[in-house]
């Protein structure tokens, strides 16, 4: 049985909260996809889990300032986004990889990442070095001259990750980043996450629970727009039993927590 986790235990040791949400509500069309969410996240790698329709992508979009909360309080990097701040300045400090991202098919990989660095207003003197470093970190330096239209699905995903980190963000948001990556690439990606998470708040939305177990310091489980669990991967493992659904201990913990939440909601 997983113990209740005091949010104070999630405090980073050196930095203030990068994400501080209180009773946040966010609409996706007519539906309130995030409904009364309390969340505080600091430096480290945080896995965002939940079934389809749980509100993961809507939450990521709100954290990326694409969607404005319909209620509650949301502070990002110390800035209250509900107070109509200078979002342009805030966005310079955020890296974001959506599930689907657009690009000019005739751009080379380097041109694509350079273009995104320009949009993020990276100092032009830093752009060449920042682009090269980003490409090296995702293993695309040897494909920098290839056009985007020639890349495989996995390589496109890595190019998307490169643009998300080119501005050396303080808050990195990745929505299903491992889609299309082969097993070896996923191992490299996990190592990259752990490295970035030493100095940055990284939030990874994924359906691949094993990626969370291998790379994340903390886990947030969403269901029906609410956080039904926050804790470590080990806490998630401890929530399950051998009789619960799943092939691994962490999958059984995930299934057990969702089942308990649904049982409680049905009462």
């Amino acid at each position: 049985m997983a113990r209740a986790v005091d949010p104070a235990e999630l405090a980073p040791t050196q930095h203030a909260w990068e994400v501080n949400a209180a009773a946040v509500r966010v609409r996706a069309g007519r539906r309130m996809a995030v409904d009364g969410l309390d969340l505080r996240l600091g430096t480290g790698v945080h896995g965002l889990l939940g079934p389809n329709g749980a509100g993961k992508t809507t939450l990521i979009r709100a954290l990326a300032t694409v969607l404005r909360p319909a209620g509650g309080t949301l502070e990002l990097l110390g800035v209250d986004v509900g107070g109509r701040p200078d979002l342009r300045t805030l966005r310079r400090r955020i890296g974001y990889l959506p599930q689907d991202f657009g690009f000019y098919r005739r751009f080379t990989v380097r041109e694509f990442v350079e273009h995104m660095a320009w949009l993020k207003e990276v100092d032009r003197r830093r752009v060449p070095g920042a682009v090269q470093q980003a490409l090296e970190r995702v293993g695309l330096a040897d494909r920098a001259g290839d056009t985007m239209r020639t890349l495989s699905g996995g390589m496109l995903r890595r190019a998307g990750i490169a643009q998300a980190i080119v501005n050396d963000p303080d808050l990195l948001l990745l929505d299903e980043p491992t889609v299309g990556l082969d097993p070896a690439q996923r191992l490299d990606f996990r190592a990259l996450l752990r490295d970035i998470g030493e100095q940055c708040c990284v939030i990874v939305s994924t359906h691949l629970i094993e990626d969370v177990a291998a790379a994340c310091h903390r886990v947030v489980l969403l269901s029906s727009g609410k956080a039904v669990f926050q804790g470590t991967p080990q806490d998630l493992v401890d929530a399950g039993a051998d009789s619960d659904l799943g092939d691994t201990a962490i999958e059984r913990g995930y299934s057990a927590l969702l089942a308990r939440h649904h049982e409680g909601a049905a009462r």
Side-chain angles (χ1 to χ4, degrees), residues 15-76:
H15 303 280
W17 300 114
E18 276 81 0
V19 174
N20 190 355
V24 164
R25 305 168 76 230
V26 188
R27 292 186 182 278
R30 296 183 178 180
R31 184 173 66 93
M32 195 66 71
V34 175
D35 193 4
L37 179 68
D38 296 319
L39 193 64
R40 290 191 293 178
L41 303 177
T43 300
V45 185
H46 308 273
L48 188 60
L49 293 174
N52 290 332
K56 300 188 301 298
T57 291
T58 299
L59 175 59
I60 289 285
R61 285 169 60 83
L63 297 179
T65 73
V66 176
L67 296 177
R68 186 179 293 274
T73 302
L74 177 60
E75 293 183 357
L76 303 175

Side-chain angles (χ1 to χ4, degrees), residues 133-143 155 158 188 192:
Q133 182 182 48
L135 292 176
E136 289 175 355
R137 295 183 87 177
V138 301
L140 283 180
D142 61 338
R143 305 298 294 268
M155 288 183 180
R158 284 191 278 160
D188 290 340
L192 175 62

Side-chain angles (χ1 to χ4, degrees), residues 139-249:
L140 283 180
D142 61 338
R143 305 298 294 268
D146 293 1
T147 58
M148 295 290 287
R149 64 183 174 182
T150 66
L151 299 185
S152 67
M155 288 183 180
L156 279 175
R157 209 68 189 154
R158 284 191 278 160
I161 296 168
Q163 66 78 27
I165 64 176
V166 72
N167 59 323
D168 195 19
D170 296 312
L171 174 61
L172 178 60
L173 308 166
L174 304 171
D175 197 356
E176 297 293 346
T178 56
V179 172
L181 300 186
D182 64 33
Q185 291 167 350
R186 282 173 57 201
L187 289 175
D188 290 340
F189 173 71
R190 293 172 186 172
L192 175 62
L193 282 186
R194 290 191 290 267
D195 180 51
I196 295 174
E198 292 294 324
Q199 300 294 330
C200 173
C201 179
V202 184
I203 303 175
V204 185
S205 173
T206 181
H207 286 94
L208 299 176
I209 300 176
E210 58 268 33
D211 285 342
V212 168
C216 296
H217 304 105
R218 294 284 175 174
V219 183
V220 178
L221 176 57
L222 293 187
S223 181
S224 303
K226 300 180 184 296
V228 299
F229 168 84
Q230 295 184 54
T232 67
Q234 185 59 51
D235 290 331
L236 186 55
V237 168
D238 293 343
D242 290 343
S243 58
D244 290 313
L245 183 65
D247 293 328
T248 64

Side-chain angles (χ1 to χ4, degrees), residues 242-263:
D242 290 343
S243 58
D244 290 313
L245 183 65
D247 293 328
T248 64
I250 197 166
E251 287 178 347
R252 290 189 285 273
Y254 170 87
S255 299
L257 286 167
L258 286 180
R260 290 170 202 160
H261 173 69
H262 293 154
E263 289 172 3

